[in-house]
Amino acid sequence: MADAKPRNDWNTLTTLFPYLWRYKNRVLLALSLLIAAKFANVAVPLVLKDIVDALDGSKGALVLPIALVGAYGALRMASAVFGELRDAVFAKVAQGAIRKVALEVFEHLHALSLRFHLERQTGGMSRDIDRGTKGISFLLNFMLFNILPTLVEILLVAIILLQRYDWYFAAITFGTIVIYIGFTLGVTEWRMAFRRQMNDMDSKANTKAIDSLLNYETVKYFGNERWEAQRFDASMQQYETAAVKNQVSLSLLNAGQAVIIALGVTALVWLAASEVVAGTMTLGDLVLVNAFLLQLYAPLNFLGFVYREIKHSLADMERMFTLLGQNSEVQDEASAAALHTDSASIAFEQVDFGYERNRQILFDASFAIPAGQTLAVVGASGAGKSTLSRLLFRFYDVWAGHVTINGADIRTLSQDSLRAHIGIVPQDTVLFNDSIFYNIAYGRPGATHDEVIEAAKSAHIHDFVMRLPDGYDTLVGERGLKLSGGEKQRVAIARTILKNPPILIFDEATSALDSKTEKAIQAELREISANRTTLIIAHRLSTIADADQIIVLEGGRVVERGHHRALLAANGAYARLWALQQHEDEVRDDEGAAAG
């Protein structure tokens, strides 16, 4: 993603606009308050001029201009109050837009294909989303409440100066502004390369840090703490270099802006003072010009900072919106139907598939699982066994052929309804860093408390949970690391029982367990698969001897199929795998006896 083609700023703004226009009444009210505040602000120097002229002793006896002083105070108060009301009205717009964008990015990430998530860098992606949502807040607050008000104020001041004074007052004022803005835009555009480089290095450093911490045990097993620190520091060193360039260029920009403003202010004050001495302007006029200068150049000076930060925010947002621009590889057809069945038959018909076009995994794979029966798939690692479950879940679409449920190609079914009918107990169960109750209830979030407990009992984990100090409130740790392999598998089984789907997949669900735990969990798997259509991806052949049908995959092709005894009698690929595993078991038993 770091190498994604940069979007231009206009595309980023137009992407954001619909999220704001959902609150169009609030936006319009905030803009009205903004304009009212600026009218009041511009009127303040005009009243101040009249007050100064009224107090000019050279024109006669002094009289306190009570009405003018009152108007001066009212205008200043109105400017402040309208500004605060504007902020209060717009708060819902900004926060609502941030919430909506964040939700859409989150939902879109879940809608993307498995391929995207296998290739993503979680740490960098999470940092992109975080910076992007913060960028929206900054952009809205400062673009609408600093740049736009300043432009309105510049327009109003231009009208007043041209009406009241010689044209060169306006010419100097706006000539300075044009030079200032041109200088700011030019230098800021040059500096954006450093900001983008900082973002890239920040995301990469964060990715390395998150990845290292997630694999804490592996780091400790190999004693590679120093190596991990060096990798992280290398990324941070690149970030440091970009950050130094960013700061040096910022100092150059600030110095140039200060020089431009100082020259403009000096020229205008000198011009106004000369007019007062010549008698063509009053002291009040001098105060008026000076007040306008202060009102214009103070926010204009801030405008330089705001523009820089807006450009930074746009750079941050473009990375987040790039995620929204990622197309989902697997999409529902417009006419996709919802699957509704309690009895499902599955068929793979002449399926060709590969994760990359230059590396095909399955070749003309064909087999069927009648409703309520169990089919086991065996074969060496890399034969394509786990690919079958990914295709059945429709994480990928087949290149050729069909995968059907009850005769309907799964590409014609909605993905939500398809996956609602399938339950899986994977080889490596990954749990959420939450309670055991939450992880079981995840199988059907709307389930009652009693249904969750009943599912735990069916998976034979209830007694274990009740012996824990916190019971079902026990936290399982990140990815479930506080539980053993067998305990995690039982949670996965309970979760699948609670889901209660008509189709089950056991993807080498016991291959990582010890023999005793494996036998216990195999019994539980047989219980929950009774009368359900079941696909077993098997590592140990002894666990699938009673399957209704067994197929053998070699190099992505179905080379044998039949019952356990018939396959042994055929003395083919299955028989060779069986003999090899029997020999391995005998050697293991002999080694165990010798050690005993």
Side-chain angles (χ1 to χ4, degrees):
M1 288 180 298
D3 299 325
K5 184 179 179 180
R7 301 154 52 92
N8 64 50
D9 294 342
W10 180 247
N11 284 343
T12 302
L13 290 173
T14 53
T15 302
L16 178 63
F17 182 76
Y19 297 99
L20 302 180
W21 201 240
R22 295 169 62 241
Y23 305 95
K24 55 181 176 293
N25 292 334
R26 282 181 173 269
V27 171
L28 294 174
L29 177 57
L31 290 175
S32 300
L33 290 168
L34 181 153
I35 293 171
K38 281 303 156 188
F39 268 103
N41 202 39
V42 169
V44 167
L46 294 172
V47 176
L48 184 60
K49 164 191 158 40
D50 292 338
I51 292 174
V52 172
D53 286 341
L55 295 174
D56 187 356
S58 64
K59 295 182 179 180
L62 293 178
V63 178
L64 181 64
I66 298 176
L68 289 174
V69 172
Y72 178 83
L75 286 170
R76 291 193 69 89
M77 183 174 65
S79 176
V81 170
F82 286 148
E84 294 302 325
L85 286 174
R86 174 204 66 193
D87 292 349
V89 167
F90 199 75
K92 175 69 175 176
V93 180
Q95 295 306 316
I98 290 170
R99 174 189 170 194
K100 183 66 175 175
V101 170
L103 177 62
E104 284 200 14
V105 172
F106 183 77
E107 290 177 336
H108 185 69
L109 289 174
H110 278 290
L112 291 176
S113 67
L114 179 62
R115 188 190 311 278
F116 171 85
H117 288 279
L118 292 177
E119 294 173 354
R120 76 178 185 219
Q121 295 180 316
T122 305
M125 188 174 68
S126 65
R127 186 62 67 89
D128 290 341
I129 295 171
D130 179 56
R131 281 199 307 258
T133 52
K134 289 178 180 176
I136 291 174
S137 178
F138 191 95
L139 179 77
L140 295 179
N141 285 316
F142 285 91
M143 178 173 278
L144 291 176
F145 300 151
N146 188 275
I147 291 183
L148 185 58
T150 301
L151 294 177
V152 171
E153 193 164 1
I154 287 172
L155 177 63
L156 294 175
V157 169
I159 294 171
I160 293 171
L161 289 178
L162 288 171
Q163 283 183 338
R164 286 176 170 260
Y165 307 112
D166 290 331
W167 63 269
Y168 38 81
F169 277 89
I172 293 175
T173 300
F174 299 107
T176 304
I177 291 173
V178 169
I179 294 172
Y180 179 94
I181 291 177
F183 176 77
T184 300
L185 298 187
V187 176
T188 301
E189 286 298 324
W190 167 62
R191 294 185 61 245
M192 285 311 298
F194 303 137
R195 178 67 181 201
R196 284 198 173 95
Q197 188 179 4
M198 284 174 61
N199 282 355
D200 287 342
M201 294 305 105
D202 183 42
S203 295
K204 287 178 180 178
N206 196 54
T207 293
K208 286 183 172 62
I210 295 292
D211 194 39
S212 180
L213 292 173
L214 286 176
N215 292 283
Y216 169 82
E217 288 183 80
T218 304
V219 174
K220 303 301 281 188
Y221 288 152
F222 291 92
N224 278 343
E225 295 91 341
R226 176 59 57 188
W227 168 251
E228 290 296 322
Q230 289 172 348
R231 289 179 67 231
F232 179 71
D233 187 54
S235 294
M236 290 303 296
Q237 187 176 31
Q238 291 176 299
Y239 174 84
E240 176 189 353
T241 300
V244 169
K245 291 180 180 177
N246 183 66
Q247 184 57 51
V248 171
S249 62
L250 173 62
S251 298
L252 174 64
L253 176 59
N254 288 339
Q257 290 171 334
V259 169
I260 292 169
I261 289 177
L263 291 175
V265 169
T266 302
L268 277 172
V269 171
W270 175 81
L271 188 62
S274 299
E275 295 285 343
V276 172
V277 171
T280 55
M281 287 177 60
T282 66
L283 286 175
D285 291 320
L286 177 60
V287 170
L288 175 65
V289 171
N290 189 60
F292 275 153
L293 289 177
L294 293 176
Q295 283 188 192
L296 276 184
Y297 287 148
L300 194 61
N301 188 44
F302 190 55
L303 184 65
F305 160 76
V306 169
Y307 178 75
R308 294 193 304 269
E309 291 305 314
I310 284 176
K311 292 293 291 184
H312 296 167
S313 297
L314 288 168
D316 294 339
M317 287 164 58
E318 80 180 23
R319 294 174 68 94
M320 183 179 68
F321 283 134
T322 297
L323 292 174
L324 275 178
Q326 291 279 345
N327 291 321
S328 181
E329 182 179 337
V330 178
Q331 297 180 349
D332 285 343
E333 296 179 353
S335 59
L339 178 63
H340 296 290
T341 184
D342 293 324
S343 177
S345 61
I346 301 171
F348 279 63
E349 302 171 357
Q350 298 177 306
V351 169
D352 289 345
F353 175 74
Y355 297 107
E356 304 293 341
R357 278 292 168 184
N358 59 359
R359 182 169 171 258
Q360 190 168 341
I361 302 295
L362 296 177
F363 299 83
D364 196 31
S366 298
F367 58 87
I369 315 174
Q373 292 195 15
T374 297
L375 178 138
V377 184
V378 300
S381 295
K385 303 188 299 297
S386 294
T387 299
L388 299 177
S389 66
R390 289 176 169 179
L391 292 177
L392 187 56
F393 267 102
R394 207 184 162 210
F395 290 154
Y396 302 91
D397 280 332
V398 299
W399 292 357
H402 305 276
V403 179
T404 67
I405 293 180
N406 290 345
D409 192 312
I410 62 174
R411 287 173 290 196
T412 66
L413 304 173
S414 69
Q415 295 176 66
D416 287 344
S417 68
L418 168 67
R419 292 164 189 164
H421 284 71
I422 308 174
I424 186 168
V425 179
Q427 176 182 6
D428 182 19
T429 297
V430 177
L431 303 181
F432 291 95
N433 190 4
D434 209 305
S435 66
I436 291 177
F437 184 93
Y438 174 87
N439 277 283
I440 295 175
Y442 199 79
R444 184 156 50 91
T448 66
H449 181 273
D450 290 342
E451 287 174 329
V452 173
I453 302 303
E454 191 59 37
K457 289 178 178 177
S458 299
H460 302 287
I461 195 175
H462 176 73
D463 292 340
F464 158 75
V465 175
M466 295 309 294
R467 289 195 298 270
L468 297 172
D470 295 325
Y472 280 91
D473 293 328
T474 300
L475 297 178
V476 302
E478 189 148 13
R479 295 180 297 147
L481 291 176
K482 290 184 179 180
L483 301 182
S484 70
E487 290 157 0
K488 287 199 294 184
Q489 290 301 82
R490 283 193 168 91
V491 170
I493 292 170
R495 188 161 59 187
T496 302
I497 291 172
L498 186 65
K499 186 177 183 180
N500 194 28
I503 301 172
L504 289 175
I505 300 174
F506 301 140
D507 189 353
E508 303 194 31
T510 62
S511 62
L513 305 177
D514 61 83
S515 298
K516 182 179 178 181
T517 305
E518 181 185 44
K519 287 185 173 64
I521 288 183
Q522 280 296 334
E524 293 155 13
L525 295 181
R526 278 192 292 272
E527 283 182 32
I528 69 170
S529 63
N531 301 318
R532 300 177 198 265
T533 307
T534 305
L535 172 65
I536 300 177
I537 297 165
H539 173 73
R540 295 187 56 77
L541 305 190
S542 59
T543 63
I544 47 93
D546 56 352
D548 296 301
Q549 185 180 186
I550 299 170
I551 65 171
V552 181
L553 280 181
E554 279 190 359
R557 303 178 188 275
V558 178
V559 296
E560 282 188 322
R561 70 183 74 215
H563 299 291
H564 171 69
R565 291 184 180 279
L567 290 173
L568 286 180
N571 200 30
Y574 183 82
R576 290 194 298 273
L577 286 172
W578 178 267
L580 179 62
Q581 286 199 4
Q582 292 295 104
H583 175 69
E584 289 174 351
D585 289 345
E586 290 173 4
V587 170
R588 192 181 303 112
D589 290 343
D590 290 343
E591 289 175 349

